[in-house]
Amino acid sequence: MSLSTLALALVLAPAAFAQSTQTVQVGPSGTLAYNPLSITAAAGDTIRFVFNPKNHTVTQSSFDAPCNPLADGATSGFKPVSNVSALLTTWDFVVADTTGPSWFYCQQTVPASHCGAGMVFAINAPADPDPHSFDAFQSLAKQLNGTGSASASASASASASAPPPSGLSTDASFTTPPAQSWATATATISNGGSTWTTVYTSYDGTPSPTYAPSGPVDHKVTVGADGQLAFSPSNISAAIGDTVTFEFHQKNHTATQSSFSQPCKALAETSTTGQVGFKSGFQFVPENQTDNFPTFQITINDTAPIWGYCGQQGPPVHCTSGMVFSINAVESGPNNFGAFQQIA
């Protein structure tokens, strides 16, 4: 090899093995989208995802199941970013030594599935009109509305006969009780030397609204203690004026109000009266955090039962694993906490 040829080879060698970093914005300006939507990258390249305000993920999936995590696939986990965050969170994905496409989506489902709204992303997707193009992938995610894959109904049938999550029992004869009947009632309440009339929601079996004799009480409910998918305690009684404080432990949980008959859907999505329930939003707690846990508090205004769940979609889905709670459930009737958890 001549000296000039060797010199040229040495100049070209670094370029041949050069690796690049590409930046992808996650949810920019509040949109449910990645920007850009799809990129081309070489093996060894780094894709740096920059998370904007809200709470998103970058989770690897397959083409056929756009909104399901790929077994052993990569995931950023949820990255909550507040609207006042000065520093945005990032996550890096290194492209493997392969020429095949990689598919991704956002796992957020509150208040609706981001994936089902088309929040998906691809690396090295073939161009249209290939049946596995990015546009085809995004269209499939919207078509399935964030519910999984084209075989979701078959999977649902299989899961119906699968063993229940650990710690729960199943009863083949169990049927969902009818919704509780309720009425608007009026009561006279005395507290601290004051007496007034209040209008409240009265369910079958609920007591009249009264204050605790010694004054309002704060009930602490631990969310995800010791890594468990549970609220502890999961079923409490509280008087008018009491508060319930949810204390969030490790992982990423929510406390979201639902209804008895639809335990795993936010109340705003199921209410026929326009009622909107409370939502803590996702509360991420690192594994190494041991104190100063985030909290979310509600005040009890009447004795109507309150039903709630964790909105984390996992895997596994926390609500369908039994991570639900109730306040003032009527344990003497069919609409009790055990039935609520069984429905979930």
Side-chain angles (χ1 to χ4, degrees), residues 35-50:
N35 187 14
L37 301 172
S38 179
I39 64 171
T40 300
D45 284 358
T46 296
I47 314 302
R48 178 157 296 163
F49 294 92
V50 180

PDB file of all heavy atoms in Angstrom, residues 35-50:
ATOM      1  N   ASN A  35     -41.628  13.743  18.270  1.00  0.00           N
ATOM      2  CA  ASN A  35     -41.187  14.599  17.180  1.00  0.00           C
ATOM      3  C   ASN A  35     -39.670  14.483  17.016  1.00  0.00           C
ATOM      4  O   ASN A  35     -38.931  14.870  17.908  1.00  0.00           O
ATOM      5  CB  ASN A  35     -41.570  16.047  17.443  1.00  0.00           C
ATOM      6  CG  ASN A  35     -41.281  16.951  16.250  1.00  0.00           C
ATOM      7  OD1 ASN A  35     -41.034  16.477  15.146  1.00  0.00           O
ATOM      8  ND2 ASN A  35     -41.310  18.246  16.482  1.00  0.00           N
ATOM      9  N   PRO A  36     -39.208  13.871  15.901  1.00  0.00           N
ATOM     10  CA  PRO A  36     -39.993  13.372  14.770  1.00  0.00           C
ATOM     11  C   PRO A  36     -40.713  12.070  15.100  1.00  0.00           C
ATOM     12  O   PRO A  36     -40.397  11.405  16.076  1.00  0.00           O
ATOM     13  CB  PRO A  36     -38.930  13.173  13.694  1.00  0.00           C
ATOM     14  CG  PRO A  36     -37.673  12.891  14.455  1.00  0.00           C
ATOM     15  CD  PRO A  36     -37.751  13.761  15.673  1.00  0.00           C
ATOM     16  N   LEU A  37     -41.656  11.710  14.227  1.00  0.00           N
ATOM     17  CA  LEU A  37     -42.457  10.502  14.432  1.00  0.00           C
ATOM     18  C   LEU A  37     -41.675   9.232  14.127  1.00  0.00           C
ATOM     19  O   LEU A  37     -41.914   8.185  14.721  1.00  0.00           O
ATOM     20  CB  LEU A  37     -43.700  10.533  13.540  1.00  0.00           C
ATOM     21  CG  LEU A  37     -44.664  11.703  13.738  1.00  0.00           C
ATOM     22  CD1 LEU A  37     -45.729  11.678  12.656  1.00  0.00           C
ATOM     23  CD2 LEU A  37     -45.305  11.640  15.113  1.00  0.00           C
ATOM     24  N   SER A  38     -40.739   9.326  13.176  1.00  0.00           N
ATOM     25  CA  SER A  38     -39.999   8.155  12.715  1.00  0.00           C
ATOM     26  C   SER A  38     -38.630   8.625  12.232  1.00  0.00           C
ATOM     27  O   SER A  38     -38.510   9.700  11.654  1.00  0.00           O
ATOM     28  CB  SER A  38     -40.770   7.473  11.588  1.00  0.00           C
ATOM     29  OG  SER A  38     -40.066   6.349  11.096  1.00  0.00           O
ATOM     30  N   ILE A  39     -37.603   7.828  12.497  1.00  0.00           N
ATOM     31  CA  ILE A  39     -36.254   8.198  12.083  1.00  0.00           C
ATOM     32  C   ILE A  39     -35.545   6.996  11.471  1.00  0.00           C
ATOM     33  O   ILE A  39     -35.957   5.849  11.647  1.00  0.00           O
ATOM     34  CB  ILE A  39     -35.415   8.725  13.270  1.00  0.00           C
ATOM     35  CG1 ILE A  39     -35.212   7.621  14.316  1.00  0.00           C
ATOM     36  CG2 ILE A  39     -36.036   9.965  13.888  1.00  0.00           C
ATOM     37  CD1 ILE A  39     -34.228   7.999  15.397  1.00  0.00           C
ATOM     38  N   THR A  40     -34.460   7.294  10.774  1.00  0.00           N
ATOM     39  CA  THR A  40     -33.556   6.271  10.257  1.00  0.00           C
ATOM     40  C   THR A  40     -32.254   6.371  11.031  1.00  0.00           C
ATOM     41  O   THR A  40     -31.719   7.472  11.226  1.00  0.00           O
ATOM     42  CB  THR A  40     -33.300   6.483   8.755  1.00  0.00           C
ATOM     43  OG1 THR A  40     -34.547   6.410   8.059  1.00  0.00           O
ATOM     44  CG2 THR A  40     -32.362   5.417   8.218  1.00  0.00           C
ATOM     45  N   ALA A  41     -31.755   5.246  11.518  1.00  0.00           N
ATOM     46  CA  ALA A  41     -30.544   5.254  12.334  1.00  0.00           C
ATOM     47  C   ALA A  41     -29.706   4.023  12.027  1.00  0.00           C
ATOM     48  O   ALA A  41     -30.218   2.993  11.583  1.00  0.00           O
ATOM     49  CB  ALA A  41     -30.906   5.290  13.818  1.00  0.00           C
ATOM     50  N   ALA A  42     -28.413   4.143  12.276  1.00  0.00           N
ATOM     51  CA  ALA A  42     -27.482   3.036  12.057  1.00  0.00           C
ATOM     52  C   ALA A  42     -27.242   2.302  13.369  1.00  0.00           C
ATOM     53  O   ALA A  42     -27.491   2.835  14.465  1.00  0.00           O
ATOM     54  CB  ALA A  42     -26.166   3.558  11.495  1.00  0.00           C
ATOM     55  N   ALA A  43     -26.770   1.061  13.255  1.00  0.00           N
ATOM     56  CA  ALA A  43     -26.432   0.292  14.455  1.00  0.00           C
ATOM     57  C   ALA A  43     -25.395   1.047  15.267  1.00  0.00           C
ATOM     58  O   ALA A  43     -24.412   1.565  14.728  1.00  0.00           O
ATOM     59  CB  ALA A  43     -25.902  -1.070  14.056  1.00  0.00           C
ATOM     60  N   GLY A  44     -25.617   1.146  16.575  1.00  0.00           N
ATOM     61  CA  GLY A  44     -24.703   1.853  17.454  1.00  0.00           C
ATOM     62  C   GLY A  44     -25.083   3.298  17.687  1.00  0.00           C
ATOM     63  O   GLY A  44     -24.554   3.934  18.605  1.00  0.00           O
ATOM     64  N   ASP A  45     -26.004   3.841  16.882  1.00  0.00           N
ATOM     65  CA  ASP A  45     -26.455   5.210  17.102  1.00  0.00           C
ATOM     66  C   ASP A  45     -27.249   5.298  18.403  1.00  0.00           C
ATOM     67  O   ASP A  45     -27.874   4.325  18.846  1.00  0.00           O
ATOM     68  CB  ASP A  45     -27.340   5.687  15.949  1.00  0.00           C
ATOM     69  CG  ASP A  45     -26.548   6.038  14.706  1.00  0.00           C
ATOM     70  OD1 ASP A  45     -25.307   5.945  14.751  1.00  0.00           O
ATOM     71  OD2 ASP A  45     -27.180   6.399  13.686  1.00  0.00           O
ATOM     72  N   THR A  46     -27.244   6.472  19.018  1.00  0.00           N
ATOM     73  CA  THR A  46     -28.011   6.726  20.237  1.00  0.00           C
ATOM     74  C   THR A  46     -29.203   7.616  19.906  1.00  0.00           C
ATOM     75  O   THR A  46     -29.049   8.649  19.245  1.00  0.00           O
ATOM     76  CB  THR A  46     -27.143   7.424  21.297  1.00  0.00           C
ATOM     77  OG1 THR A  46     -26.074   6.548  21.674  1.00  0.00           O
ATOM     78  CG2 THR A  46     -27.961   7.778  22.537  1.00  0.00           C
ATOM     79  N   ILE A  47     -30.377   7.213  20.360  1.00  0.00           N
ATOM     80  CA  ILE A  47     -31.576   8.032  20.230  1.00  0.00           C
ATOM     81  C   ILE A  47     -31.857   8.622  21.602  1.00  0.00           C
ATOM     82  O   ILE A  47     -32.104   7.878  22.554  1.00  0.00           O
ATOM     83  CB  ILE A  47     -32.790   7.219  19.740  1.00  0.00           C
ATOM     84  CG1 ILE A  47     -32.400   6.329  18.551  1.00  0.00           C
ATOM     85  CG2 ILE A  47     -33.929   8.154  19.388  1.00  0.00           C
ATOM     86  CD1 ILE A  47     -31.832   7.072  17.372  1.00  0.00           C
ATOM     87  N   ARG A  48     -31.778   9.938  21.705  1.00  0.00           N
ATOM     88  CA  ARG A  48     -31.997  10.608  23.000  1.00  0.00           C
ATOM     89  C   ARG A  48     -33.413  11.180  23.031  1.00  0.00           C
ATOM     90  O   ARG A  48     -33.747  12.105  22.300  1.00  0.00           O
ATOM     91  CB  ARG A  48     -30.968  11.707  23.214  1.00  0.00           C
ATOM     92  CG  ARG A  48     -31.138  12.496  24.508  1.00  0.00           C
ATOM     93  CD  ARG A  48     -29.836  13.136  24.925  1.00  0.00           C
ATOM     94  NE  ARG A  48     -28.842  12.104  25.235  1.00  0.00           N
ATOM     95  CZ  ARG A  48     -27.536  12.342  25.314  1.00  0.00           C
ATOM     96  NH1 ARG A  48     -27.056  13.561  25.093  1.00  0.00           N
ATOM     97  NH2 ARG A  48     -26.704  11.355  25.610  1.00  0.00           N
ATOM     98  N   PHE A  49     -34.243  10.605  23.887  1.00  0.00           N
ATOM     99  CA  PHE A  49     -35.621  11.057  24.037  1.00  0.00           C
ATOM    100  C   PHE A  49     -35.673  12.138  25.123  1.00  0.00           C
ATOM    101  O   PHE A  49     -35.192  11.923  26.248  1.00  0.00           O
ATOM    102  CB  PHE A  49     -36.529   9.889  24.412  1.00  0.00           C
ATOM    103  CG  PHE A  49     -36.647   8.844  23.331  1.00  0.00           C
ATOM    104  CD1 PHE A  49     -35.791   7.750  23.294  1.00  0.00           C
ATOM    105  CD2 PHE A  49     -37.608   8.968  22.337  1.00  0.00           C
ATOM    106  CE1 PHE A  49     -35.898   6.787  22.298  1.00  0.00           C
ATOM    107  CE2 PHE A  49     -37.726   8.008  21.340  1.00  0.00           C
ATOM    108  CZ  PHE A  49     -36.865   6.921  21.312  1.00  0.00           C
ATOM    109  N   VAL A  50     -36.263  13.269  24.803  1.00  0.00           N
ATOM    110  CA  VAL A  50     -36.381  14.393  25.740  1.00  0.00           C
ATOM    111  C   VAL A  50     -37.841  14.509  26.149  1.00  0.00           C
ATOM    112  O   VAL A  50     -38.717  14.773  25.313  1.00  0.00           O
ATOM    113  CB  VAL A  50     -35.896  15.707  25.096  1.00  0.00           C
ATOM    114  CG1 VAL A  50     -36.032  16.859  26.095  1.00  0.00           C
ATOM    115  CG2 VAL A  50     -34.452  15.576  24.627  1.00  0.00           C
TER     116      VAL A  50
END
